[in-house]
Amino acid sequence: MLPYPPAVGVQRGCRQVASRPIEETVKGAADVLLDVLLTDTEPRSASTLHRRLYRLAAIALPVTLAIAATRPAPALATIPPGIGIAARDTAVFAGGCFWGVEAVFARVKGVTSSMSGYAGGRGANPSYEDVSTGTTGYAESVRVIYDPAVVTYDQLLAVFFAVAHDPTELNRQGPDEGTQYRSAIFFRNAEQQRAASAYVTRLAQMKKYSRPIVTQLAPLTVFYPAEAYHQRFFDTHPDYPYIVINDKPKVEHLRQQFPQLYVTR
């Protein structure tokens, strides 16, 4: 089994559950702490005290990580062009499990940031566990920050529809089912709304797909980054079966279908 970050495990498909609950982590740390404090209370040399301090420091890290893993990340506002980052724009897409979608856009020329997160739902600071219930309205999404002088919004739409996901699957993608895996474009302004709507219309007129396109177009209200262990999952777990079966083909299709946009990461 592949090594996973603290408090992270795998259940099925893109879904994950904690393989080591926080209570278990804290209990184990407490047992070690008692052992350090209660055993052998006689005066010790400086070297022995240093070893004890080292053991106590070693306790703090897993406890801190376990507690941090239960706290959702703060909301990350989208970045309007010209503010904070010169000549950058932001797009947000949802196309099933965010691991593969993030990996695809990270390899598009002109994209400076590709981040997994949650958009389109209700309630503040959703966690992965909250979103996985399918009751929050949030979709696993990817925020793309890009340079419009290098890659256009229409080109990002082309990548999204052609290789990042299947826009004809309703409330699912591949092995993952639920509204959190829906196909959606969260537009940031009227210009993006018009571009996305026109693109979907063109695809329908060209009869690109044998089934109707079910991609939702919705205004972007807020984007919450996903937990740290989800970020760059494609790159940090290249041999994980879900990645090999579902996501590596997407990246290869990007390379084949959009060679002018493909960059190696």
Side-chain angles (χ1 to χ4, degrees), residues 31-86:
D31 289 342
V32 176
L33 177 61
L34 286 174
D35 176 66
V36 171
L37 295 177
L38 298 180
T39 60
D40 195 2
T41 57
E42 295 181 4
R44 288 294 184 180
S45 65
S47 61
T48 300
L49 291 175
H50 288 165
R51 285 195 298 271
R52 286 190 174 188
L53 289 173
Y54 179 82
R55 293 181 67 191
L56 289 172
I59 295 170
L61 180 60
V63 173
T64 302
L65 290 175
I67 293 173
T70 67
R71 297 177 178 172
L76 193 63
T78 54
I79 301 175
I83 298 179
I85 302 176

Side-chain angles (χ1 to χ4, degrees), residues 21 24 63 81 111 139 250 257:
E24 183 179 326
V63 173
V111 170
K250 296 179 182 180
Q257 297 184 38

Side-chain angles (χ1 to χ4, degrees), residues 11-159:
Q11 184 176 21
R12 185 171 72 85
C14 186
R15 305 172 187 177
Q16 296 191 357
V17 295
S19 60
R20 190 181 185 192
I22 181 172
E23 294 84 357
E24 183 179 326
T25 302
V26 173
K27 181 180 182 300
D31 289 342
V32 176
L33 177 61
L34 286 174
D35 176 66
V36 171
L37 295 177
L38 298 180
T39 60
D40 195 2
T41 57
E42 295 181 4
R44 288 294 184 180
S45 65
S47 61
T48 300
L49 291 175
H50 288 165
R51 285 195 298 271
R52 286 190 174 188
L53 289 173
Y54 179 82
R55 293 181 67 191
L56 289 172
I59 295 170
L61 180 60
V63 173
T64 302
L65 290 175
I67 293 173
T70 67
R71 297 177 178 172
L76 193 63
T78 54
I79 301 175
I83 298 179
I85 302 176
R88 297 291 187 269
D89 206 344
T90 303
V92 176
F93 302 101
C97 177
F98 40 32
W99 295 341
V101 180
E102 177 198 318
V104 166
F105 282 110
R107 288 159 176 79
V108 172
K109 184 182 301 183
V111 170
T112 58
S113 172
S114 179
M115 173 179 283
S116 293
Y118 313 111
R122 303 171 300 277
N125 297 312
S127 68
Y128 180 75
E129 288 70 24
D130 294 334
V131 175
S132 293
T133 66
T135 62
T136 65
Y138 281 101
E140 292 196 14
S141 308
V142 173
R143 189 200 67 174
V144 178
I145 296 179
Y146 65 99
D147 183 349
V150 180
V151 60
T152 67
Y153 187 68
D154 266 15
Q155 287 176 310
L156 295 180
L157 290 171
V159 169

Side-chain angles (χ1 to χ4, degrees), residues 168-190:
T168 69
E169 293 196 317
L170 181 63
N171 295 331
R172 64 169 300 149
Q173 280 293 308
D176 301 312
E177 301 179 14
T179 57
Q180 66 270 32
Y181 298 112
R182 67 187 181 273
S183 171
I185 298 172
F186 297 102
F187 52 85
R188 197 178 58 77
N189 51 36

